Amino acid sequence: MEKDELNKSANPRQTSKNADDKAQESFRQNASFAEKILAEEGIFSCQGGEHDIRKLARERIEGMLNAEHLLPLPLEEKQHVGRSGINQWIWDHKISKDIAPDILKEYLESCISNNPWYFYVKLKAMTELQVEMCRFHKLPALSLTSDHFLQSEALQHLAARFATSKVKKLIVGFLQERSEALGLLEEKAPLTHVRRQGKKVHPRAHEYFEQLVKEGISKDTQRHFLEHAHHLFSWLSKNMRDFNGIEADEIPIFQITATHLEEFRAYLLKKVREGTYSKITFCHCIYLLRSFFRFLSRKYGFPAPIRRFKAITAPRYKQRDLPSDEEIKLFFEAVDTYSDEPIIERIGYSLMLFLGLRLNETAQLTWKDINISTGTISILSKGGKPHLLPLPKRVLEDLKSAQRQQPSGKYLLGTNLKTIALRLYRNFKLYSLIAGWTYPGGVHFFRHIFISRLGGQNILPQAIKELSRVVELNTVSLYMHLAQQKDRLLTEINKLQY
């Protein structure tokens, strides 16, 4: 346990005498070998011989990263507005066009001085409110008027069905006040708000949840883990004699055996056959719970009872549209126009888009991880593995500009790790909105774009695996959208010897 903790706190710049702990450059200088395995025949041209992709020539890898179609189009110079102009943009381009009832505009106008993120959150809540009122009144959005939102019955419905967050409760409270002032609602009439009791979280599940947060894993994954863990513990409490009478959040975790998990797996498979669970949901549940038990095994040293707790064959990949070069250009123009620190934020998003860094990897970078003279960056990847990668040219240019401004923060992008990650995540949503993006998901989308674009260059899957720093070669297939149509990629990857 102590060794694991030491490894987690190790700096990627610090080298160890142990060969396994060395921060090795992912692609060593070996031009002749690189030319041999990256022949022009294509991505699957190499059928035999040596496959150590880490020996790829540095210049060839830089060529991949600096390919013109992987870098952003030159940005047009626009007047810098700063963060204070985001709310006005939202008002001019979204609220004035998408929010019809005057009463809703009145509320949003009173909030226009809010932090841009919270103003955006309130816009999203207003959009959901309109949809809810369309269902309640059975009217199209354009037919809704302020009166439809101020009726007593409508407010009761909103309090019971809509007011599920702090922001939504504030909106319903505002509507109630206006309704009372107009005499439509009896003064101080009690509204029945839904009191949703949250599920109790098992202490060990909470430990793993905190680890997921620390690693910067997406909020969807965090939420899904808690749901699947609660499902497991509730099922054990209700169906296994060993846990009868024990609350789900008090299940003795180290008494869970392989037999218990096999029974739970059989129950889930039954749900799949009945159509209640999809195959992909079944697999996600298994993967997350296996990771959970492996985490407990590492931390507490007990054997993980997961040997026969396995997933089934299911399509792990969901086709995703990707932004065009022009759309990516618009995103970075939004950064340059509306960010208070355009160079710093452009560096953060560029590292995720053009090197495939994860959010937490980007947030934890320091200036000591950057070597301007050699054009390299040291990355502490998922699982605490160090990598040294070449920097794309345009990212290097921004880093030089930032360095000339004599930065004083503890980290490359700021002073507080959590604040950096939160700012990048939230601002991604704002800049995406301004750029006209409608793609689902958060800032991790940049990593999908990076790996997908590499996949379109006829690069060996092993090279993509090293550049993207994934553990399993099979994972590469999840990102390579161009090969999805004919299912050729996964078939060929499975044939490779590596």
Side-chain angles (χ1 to χ4, degrees), residues 14 62 225 309 328:
Q14 297 170 344
E62 289 179 339
F225 162 69
F309 191 62
I328 290 174

Side-chain angles (χ1 to χ4, degrees), residues 291-437:
S291 297
F292 169 52
F293 281 102
R294 279 197 293 264
F295 165 78
L296 294 177
S297 180
R298 289 193 303 270
K299 185 167 184 178
Y300 295 103
F302 88 105
I306 57 174
R307 190 168 63 87
R308 292 189 293 273
F309 191 62
K310 296 181 179 180
I312 57 176
T313 301
R316 292 177 59 202
Y317 174 76
K318 182 179 179 180
Q319 182 74 23
R320 298 185 69 173
D321 292 329
L322 299 178
S324 66
D325 290 345
E326 184 63 32
E327 288 176 309
I328 290 174
K329 174 185 172 183
L330 290 173
F331 178 90
F332 280 95
E333 284 180 354
V335 175
D336 283 354
T337 303
Y338 291 98
S339 172
D340 286 341
E341 296 181 294
I343 293 178
I344 291 297
E345 289 202 10
R346 192 165 65 230
I347 288 171
Y349 293 124
S350 294
L351 287 170
M352 287 186 267
L353 179 59
F354 306 122
L355 266 186
L357 267 64
R358 301 173 179 91
L359 178 59
N360 66 310
E361 294 169 352
T362 306
Q364 69 187 8
L365 287 170
T366 70
W367 277 102
K368 292 182 180 179
D369 295 320
I370 308 295
N371 190 323
I372 297 290
S373 60
T374 60
T376 55
I377 181 171
S378 178
I379 303 165
L380 194 63
S381 288
K382 200 172 177 180
K385 295 180 180 178
H387 296 265
L388 194 67
L389 293 173
L391 286 161
K393 285 185 294 189
R394 294 185 193 176
V395 181
L396 188 57
E397 290 168 8
D398 279 339
L399 285 166
K400 290 177 180 177
S401 298
Q403 192 179 52
R404 285 194 291 269
Q405 296 176 5
Q406 299 180 336
S408 57
K410 178 181 177 181
Y411 298 98
L412 176 66
L413 304 179
T415 56
N416 182 279
L417 191 64
K418 187 174 287 188
T419 302
I420 294 168
L422 195 62
R423 186 180 77 233
L424 289 172
Y425 174 83
R426 289 179 171 179
N427 287 354
F428 170 82
K429 294 284 190 180
L430 295 173
Y431 301 142
S432 296
L433 181 72
I434 294 170
W437 288 20

Side-chain angles (χ1 to χ4, degrees), residues 48-49 56 69 127 170 194 216 259 273 355 430:
L56 281 178
H69 62 283
T127 304
L170 285 173
V194 177
T259 302
R273 288 192 294 270
L355 266 186
L430 295 173

Side-chain angles (χ1 to χ4, degrees), residues 96-202:
S96 62
K97 296 178 181 179
D98 301 336
I99 305 297
D102 291 337
I103 190 68
L104 303 189
K105 287 184 177 179
E106 179 187 341
Y107 177 79
L108 288 170
E109 188 174 15
S110 71
C111 303
I112 201 163
S113 61
N114 285 180
N115 176 293
W117 170 254
Y118 291 110
F119 193 60
Y120 166 76
V121 169
K122 288 174 180 178
L123 169 64
K124 299 286 284 184
M126 282 297 187
T127 304
E128 291 180 32
L129 174 59
Q130 284 195 138
V131 172
E132 189 64 35
M133 283 292 91
C134 286
R135 291 174 183 156
F136 179 76
H137 291 292
K138 297 180 180 178
L139 290 171
L142 293 176
S143 299
L144 290 176
T145 66
S146 295
D147 289 344
H148 289 113
F149 292 82
L150 301 176
Q151 294 171 7
S152 176
E153 297 82 0
L155 287 170
Q156 287 288 357
H157 174 81
L158 291 176
R161 300 292 180 186
F162 174 76
T164 56
S165 69
K166 185 177 179 180
V167 167
K168 291 178 179 179
K169 286 177 182 177
L170 285 173
I171 294 171
V172 173
F174 167 81
L175 293 174
Q176 180 184 5
E177 289 178 4
R178 288 293 178 272
S179 183
E180 289 173 356
L182 293 170
L184 300 175
L185 184 68
E186 190 176 328
E187 190 174 356
K188 296 183 180 178
L191 295 181
T192 309
H193 286 275
V194 177
R195 294 191 174 272
R196 296 174 185 257
Q197 290 210 348
K199 299 173 183 174
K200 291 184 179 179
V201 179
H202 194 286

Side-chain angles (χ1 to χ4, degrees), residues 8-61:
K8 286 179 183 177
S9 62
N11 190 294
R13 303 179 299 278
Q14 297 170 344
T15 56
S16 167
K17 292 181 181 180
N18 188 326
D20 292 335
D21 295 332
K22 278 190 176 181
Q24 298 179 350
E25 187 166 5
S26 293
F27 301 91
R28 302 192 184 97
Q29 301 275 350
N30 189 333
S32 61
F33 182 77
E35 292 304 319
K36 181 178 74 173
I37 65 172
L38 283 176
E40 294 299 327
E41 284 81 357
I43 193 169
F44 302 117
S45 59
C46 197
Q47 300 297 328
E50 194 174 7
H51 289 278
D52 186 0
I53 210 66
R54 290 172 298 178
K55 296 180 182 178
L56 281 178
R58 165 72 178 273
E59 56 268 29
R60 187 62 181 266
I61 294 305

